[in-house]
Amino acid sequence: MVSSHRPLSDLTVLDLTWILSGPFASMILCDMGADVIKVERPPYGDIARTTGPYIGDESGYFFSVNRGKRSICIDLRNTQGRETFLRLADKADVVMENFTPGTMGALGLGYDVLSARNPRLVYAATSGFGQTGPERDRPALDVIVQGMGGIMSITGEPDGPPVRPGVSQGDITAGLFTAIVSCPHYTSERGAGRAR
């Protein structure tokens, strides 16, 4: 008999991510039983909602990496929105975001603020060039990382130009590793405040 209990059923995740790497990470946690609350910005939500293919008026792409999640629209740029988000973060186990580094801090919602209110919170920030260092402020999409990493130079036809592989390997790999380190069950102490 197959058990209906999933290993992360006691985990609550606030997911501020968008496009692919972050939503893929939180989708893995959701598939393993976590209650994932996708926090989207008004008025349109995740930009992936505008990406085809479409099923009726809905993006099949969006639903492919956001299945099973609950969703709420919060404007983090205003006081009421920030207060709503902070109340949710007070009760969450994990906050995930993939903004350009410093965005959450500029909103007054960085790790220092969130962890002061909820010391057991795991904060997972995914970015193309890391949270520190000389390239931290550069935005990145999978195709940029593939080009810089050299994978495009080994695909395509002999003597032809570089070709992007059909799979968004950079985003999916980043998402997989983000999911692994975001899970408090893998930290040495549950609720240690950060993944180790």
Side-chain angles (χ1 to χ4, degrees):
M1 176 180 230
V2 177
S3 170
S4 62
H5 176 77
R6 294 185 288 168
L8 302 182
S9 61
D10 62 340
L11 194 70
T12 300
V13 178
L14 290 182
D15 175 14
L16 293 111
T17 66
W18 55 301
I19 310 287
L20 180 55
S21 64
F24 185 78
S26 60
M27 178 196 73
I28 292 169
L29 300 180
C30 186
D31 288 350
M32 295 179 69
D35 178 18
V36 177
I37 303 166
K38 185 165 182 73
V39 179
E40 299 187 68
R41 61 183 179 199
Y44 306 109
D46 185 338
I47 195 170
R49 288 183 180 275
T50 66
T51 304
Y54 292 94
I55 302 167
D57 292 337
E58 304 293 336
S59 167
Y61 172 81
F62 174 82
F63 285 107
S64 75
V65 290
N66 289 289
R67 63 178 180 249
K69 301 174 188 177
R70 296 190 289 156
S71 182
I72 185 171
C73 191
I74 301 175
D75 188 346
L76 299 176
R77 296 169 296 176
N78 69 45
T79 302
Q80 182 180 4
R82 283 190 299 277
E83 289 173 2
T84 299
F85 179 77
L86 288 169
R87 284 193 304 275
L88 290 169
D90 288 344
K91 297 177 182 167
D93 299 296
V94 177
V95 168
M96 304 176 88
E97 56 100 342
N98 64 345
F99 299 122
T100 301
T103 299
M104 289 293 283
L107 291 168
L109 300 171
Y111 175 72
D112 55 339
V113 172
L114 299 180
S115 64
R117 295 172 60 107
N118 181 353
R120 64 181 179 74
L121 185 71
V122 173
Y123 186 96
T126 304
S127 64
F129 298 100
Q131 298 296 304
T132 61
E135 306 296 329
R136 74 182 288 271
D137 293 326
R138 293 182 63 185
L141 293 172
D142 184 82
V143 67
I144 294 169
V145 175
Q146 284 191 24
M148 291 179 73
I151 195 169
M152 290 172 59
S153 70
I154 59 171
T155 59
E157 299 295 321
D159 301 318
V163 175
R164 181 189 182 280
V167 174
S168 296
Q169 194 62 48
D171 278 346
I172 290 172
T173 302
L176 178 61
F177 283 114
T178 300
I180 292 168
V181 300
S182 295
C183 184
H185 293 281
Y186 293 108
T187 61
S188 60
E189 297 176 40
R190 173 100 194 239
R194 62 187 175 113
R196 298 172 194 227

